[in-house]
Amino acid sequence: MSTIAQAVSCIDGYDPDALRVDKAAAAIRACLAPIAGDERVPVRDALGRVLAQEIVPAINVPGHDNSAMDGWAVRGSDLISAGDIFLTEVGKALAGQPYPGKISAGECARVMTGAVMPQGTDTVVVQEVCRAEGQRIAIPPGQKAGQNVRAAGEDLKAGVPVLKAGKLLRPAELGLIASLGIGEVSVRRKLRVAFFSTGDELTSIGSPLKEGQVYDSNRYTLHGMLARLGVEILDLGVVRDDPALLEAAFRKASASADAVITTGGVSVGEADFVKQLMEKLGEVLFWKIAMRPGRPMAFGKIGNAMLFGLPGNPVAVMVTFHQFVRDALLALSGRTGSFEIPLLSAASSQDIRKVPGRTEYQRGVVSREGGAWRVRTTGQQGSGVLRSMSEANCFIVLEHERGAVKTGEPVQVQLFEGLL
């Protein structure tokens, strides 16, 4: 038995002829290892990249105890009276302009938000509750020592790691790194993904349609979905059902990319040489997944590149990409932690037909109605009806064991926002 076959055979319930969605996803993840290689980039250019180093602060953030509010900085030990306390204002501290002296008992200093706490003070009383009579400041009862002060290192402490390798760098992480005075970071190199469509019936945009042909839409949806993941993209176009051309495409793709995605050529009854070529050039498994749409799928490895052979129907391509390929590519890119697409609950606005024994991904529209989230299908759900994806804003995910859905019953949805 080969390496991939051994890995997936260990998955409990693995059955290539009737593979559950969760088992297919687990089988794929069991065969993946992050790509090697990293590069240093300016922090501004690191958005959407995967961190390749641990970030350990060399400084505290904030660097000093500072005021969290506008008001007066006082000594907590002065807050001992049950009534108003009168303190003498001896100076002020602004953000970036510290008070140079020390505050003694019975004194206070005017402070603004972000100002370094004057020496001798440990508490800020907000200006709204105080009464100023010239330099004489009345502090009301009920104040607590240490209130309204941000301690040095409260956000980030010197020497304590704050970001681990494998972290996706979002705007918050860029700001965090910049707050430490770091101008460049090491990130994983971008994952390289090659893809092509197969089939004599396909033609590229710009070429006239011949009888029986259709324009290839899959490469455009794949390009869009891959672009959202921030990978390097290599589009190899449409490859005819010719063994020599297909072999050349597979060899080129696997030699230049970390992952290869094909559409078409994996269904029962399609040209046998497509499957034979995949098996000749590498180690490829062919699955019949218990799902709709997207039942036929190939997974394996050609050379050093992971291979994902998706169905040819446009909706099936998008469904299988987001249920299997997306997470696999993120894992290959070195991402750590959880990055699965979350499931949310909404009430169905209609009856939905469904038979147990497969997971279904119906295209839906989720909206707020009367204070509650409700979802309806987009209508016709054929795997070739790409319009159903354009009109939808979510997948309605109907679980493997579930049967028909009645109006008002809760269903799980995957939102498209930020995904598709």
Side-chain angles (χ1 to χ4, degrees):
M1 288 172 52
S2 55
T3 304
I4 290 181
Q6 287 176 332
V8 301
S9 66
C10 296
I11 302 295
D12 183 42
Y14 176 74
D15 180 358
D17 293 318
L19 190 58
R20 288 176 56 120
V21 167
D22 57 344
K23 301 300 182 183
I28 291 172
R29 287 299 294 270
C31 300
L32 303 178
I35 59 171
D38 53 61
E39 59 183 338
R40 290 193 67 80
V41 299
V43 171
R44 285 183 183 273
D45 296 333
L47 183 66
R49 303 295 295 272
V50 177
L51 190 63
Q53 67 177 99
E54 187 175 59
I55 300 296
V56 181
I59 60 173
N60 285 326
V61 178
H64 306 275
D65 293 352
N66 68 93
S67 175
M69 305 288 287
D70 293 344
W72 278 268
V74 305
R75 298 161 60 97
S77 56
D78 281 340
L79 303 175
I80 57 174
S81 172
D84 286 352
I85 300 168
F86 292 90
L87 302 175
T88 301
E89 180 183 315
V90 296
K92 64 180 179 181
L94 306 177
Q97 300 179 35
Y99 175 68
K102 180 179 179 180
I103 304 300
S104 301
E107 298 177 339
C108 64
R110 186 79 164 103
V111 292
M112 298 298 159
T113 303
V116 173
M117 291 293 290
Q119 186 180 357
T121 66
D122 57 10
T123 304
V124 173
V125 183
V126 297
Q127 61 186 13
E128 290 81 2
V129 302
C130 296
R131 187 174 72 257
E133 300 173 356
Q135 300 303 112
R136 194 165 177 259
I137 310 300
I139 308 295
Q143 308 305 310
K144 296 181 179 179
Q147 69 184 20
N148 301 320
V149 173
R150 294 183 291 219
E154 179 178 289
D155 188 4
L156 308 172
K157 291 186 181 296
V160 179
V162 292
L163 295 177
K164 294 183 178 180
K167 178 73 173 178
L168 175 68
L169 295 177
R170 304 166 300 176
E173 283 74 30
L174 299 192
L176 185 154
I177 294 169
S179 74
L180 297 172
I182 298 173
E184 287 188 346
V185 290
S186 291
V187 296
R188 294 266 190 175
R189 69 169 175 84
K190 286 188 176 184
L191 190 74
R192 293 188 290 268
V193 182
F195 64 95
F196 58 89
S197 300
T198 65
D200 288 337
E201 78 281 8
L202 301 177
T203 190
S204 297
I205 292 174
S207 301
L209 285 176
K210 297 179 181 179
E211 186 176 0
Q213 287 189 327
V214 295
Y215 285 119
D216 176 27
S217 64
N218 287 337
R219 285 174 28 245
Y220 291 85
T221 53
L222 273 173
H223 188 280
M225 293 184 294
L226 289 169
R228 285 284 184 93
L229 300 183
V231 301
E232 289 185 15
I233 302 171
L234 177 61
D235 183 352
L236 298 184
V238 175
V239 181
R240 302 296 170 206
D241 288 328
D242 177 280
L245 295 176
L246 283 165
E247 181 169 349
F250 278 119
R251 289 189 183 280
K252 179 179 180 180
S254 60
S256 57
D258 304 298
V260 178
I261 304 173
T262 67
T263 60
V266 294
S267 296
V268 174
E270 296 195 55
D272 287 340
F273 54 78
V274 175
K275 297 180 180 179
Q276 292 169 0
L277 277 172
M278 289 181 178
E279 293 173 329
K280 171 186 174 182
L281 299 174
E283 181 187 0
V284 183
L285 306 176
F286 296 93
W287 293 337
K288 296 175 183 176
I289 303 178
M291 65 184 294
R292 181 182 181 186
R295 186 166 183 257
M297 182 175 170
F299 168 70
K301 192 172 185 179
I302 295 180
N304 291 320
M306 303 306 301
L307 172 68
F308 303 90
L310 307 185
N313 283 321
V315 177
V317 169
M318 299 190 76
V319 170
T320 51
F321 181 93
H322 281 294
Q323 303 312 317
F324 304 115
V325 183
R326 171 191 176 271
D327 285 4
L329 296 182
L330 294 179
L332 285 172
S333 71
R335 285 272 300 272
T336 57
S338 176
F339 40 76
E340 295 179 357
I341 305 165
L343 291 171
L344 306 175
S345 182
S348 178
S349 296
Q350 65 190 101
D351 291 349
I352 302 176
R353 290 185 298 175
K354 163 75 164 61
V355 294
R358 69 187 181 198
T359 302
E360 291 194 11
Y361 297 89
Q362 301 210 13
R363 280 69 73 200
V365 178
V366 64
S367 59
R368 195 82 166 167
E369 298 178 17
W373 290 106
R374 301 184 68 84
V375 67
R376 60 174 176 81
T377 70
T378 57
Q380 190 176 357
Q381 295 291 302
S383 60
V385 184
L386 193 54
R387 185 186 70 252
S388 68
M389 290 294 297
S390 178
E391 293 174 350
N393 65 6
C394 69
F395 286 128
I396 303 173
V397 183
L398 303 178
E399 302 88 340
H400 185 90
E401 298 84 0
R402 187 163 193 164
V405 176
K406 297 294 185 183
T407 300
E409 287 184 358
V411 292
Q412 300 294 306
V413 299
Q414 283 180 335
L415 300 181
F416 287 176
E417 183 61 32
L419 170 63
L420 295 181

